[in-house]
Amino acid sequence: MTRALRPDNDKGACRRVVYASSINAVLGYGGVGRDGEASGTAWDVPVWPVNVYGATKCWGEALARVYSTSYTGPSAGEPADGPLSCICVRIGSPRWDPEGRGIPAPVGEPQWGLSSRDCGQLFERCVDVEDLAFAIVPGVSRHAASWMDVQHTCDVLGYEPLDSTTVVTSLPPAAVLVGCVRPREIGKTRVLVTGASGLVGGILRIEWGNRYELRLADIKPIEEGKSSSKLPLQTHEEFWLLDTSD
């Protein structure tokens, strides 16, 4: 990752980092919004992890905030050409199936599920959105009672969840969804997906197809990853096995 951030690497400088944070960063709120509102926990409340995993995600968000400012110190891995756009996604449960399987909480209680197609669209918007230096956004589908305030994600990224635990009679008109996506310019955007052998990495490979030129990286091979990650490498994908010996 630090090699990818250096502006002198052979692929050019990295322009944005999309950090896979977690709902665990604010798990202590129990999905309660401001003043008991049902909209879910806001993105800008003080972090409240209840486990070490959540605490590491808070640290990652803080580091992303540092990189998004003008900090350009001399340590290895720090970008030498000024601020780096950083978006932190507090992912809920990407195992959620909108057909009714894998709902994290009983119906009627705050939900934090994120369907596969919503996950793909959400991270796509993180890659494509313009003029955004830093953001922390909830990573969930749209729920009648949501653990996190997904409307903030919609407002900041142009994200439009397609799946929900509410009763939906029809999807939004196609023109509305198309309006959320910036037309692709000449060539493909290069995207580095770390943790590519994990669940979210596999979902993004499936949902994105060949939209981006992907660089996949993990500490274990693709074929040893989660079931959705074991797809053979495609022509637009390159895999790097990360060395953890250091």
Side-chain angles (χ1 to χ4, degrees):
M1 172 62 94
T2 55
R3 180 176 63 182
L5 293 178
R6 290 207 308 266
D8 59 346
N9 70 73
D10 61 354
K11 296 298 183 181
C14 175
R15 294 177 295 169
R16 172 171 292 160
V17 168
V18 181
Y19 173 61
S21 186
S22 170
I23 188 176
N24 282 271
V26 290
L27 204 61
Y29 288 99
V32 177
R34 289 190 177 93
D35 301 321
E37 294 176 356
S39 59
T41 302
W43 73 272
D44 57 349
V45 296
V47 293
W48 188 355
V50 297
N51 49 50
V52 174
Y53 174 74
T56 66
K57 292 301 183 180
C58 297
W59 180 85
E61 292 181 1
L63 188 62
R65 187 53 161 161
V66 171
Y67 275 103
S68 71
T69 66
S70 58
Y71 183 63
T72 56
S75 300
E78 294 171 357
D81 57 349
L84 182 69
S85 172
C86 296
I87 301 175
C88 305
V89 182
R90 288 176 175 166
I91 302 173
S93 173
R95 300 179 185 277
W96 178 57
D97 183 341
E99 296 299 323
R101 297 177 292 276
I103 295 179
V107 175
E109 295 184 10
Q111 300 291 328
W112 59 89
L114 176 65
S115 70
S116 292
R117 63 174 178 172
D118 283 346
C119 182
Q121 184 206 155
L122 171 57
F123 279 89
E124 180 179 305
R125 294 304 305 143
C126 288
V127 172
D128 290 349
V129 68
E130 297 180 342
D131 303 321
L132 187 60
F134 178 79
I136 296 175
V137 296
V140 292
S141 294
R142 191 179 295 281
H143 303 288
S146 180
W147 194 284
M148 296 184 288
D149 182 13
V150 71
Q151 189 57 46
H152 172 71
T153 311
C154 299
D155 294 341
V156 170
L157 300 180
Y159 168 59
E160 197 62 50
L162 299 179
D163 293 312
S164 170
T165 49
T166 60
V167 178
V168 179
T169 56
S170 63
L171 293 177
V176 174
L177 302 181
V178 172
C180 295
V181 180
R182 179 169 59 90
R184 176 63 55 206
E185 299 174 357
I186 297 175
K188 292 183 179 179
T189 299
R190 293 192 183 100
V191 177
L192 171 63
V193 179
T194 59
S197 296
L199 178 61
V200 173
I203 289 174
L204 295 183
R205 291 182 65 202
I206 294 172
E207 294 297 323
W208 281 354
N210 64 352
R211 180 175 179 82
Y212 303 111
E213 184 178 327
L214 296 181
R215 298 294 182 267
L216 311 173
D218 209 328
I219 60 174
K220 57 185 177 182
I222 289 289
E223 57 269 19
E224 296 180 11
K226 303 292 184 180
S227 59
S228 59
S229 304
K230 296 180 182 179
L231 301 172
L233 287 178
Q234 307 298 308
T235 56
H236 62 283
E237 297 176 329
E238 176 183 338
F239 180 76
W240 298 342
L241 185 64
L242 299 180
D243 183 2
T244 60
S245 60
D246 295 336

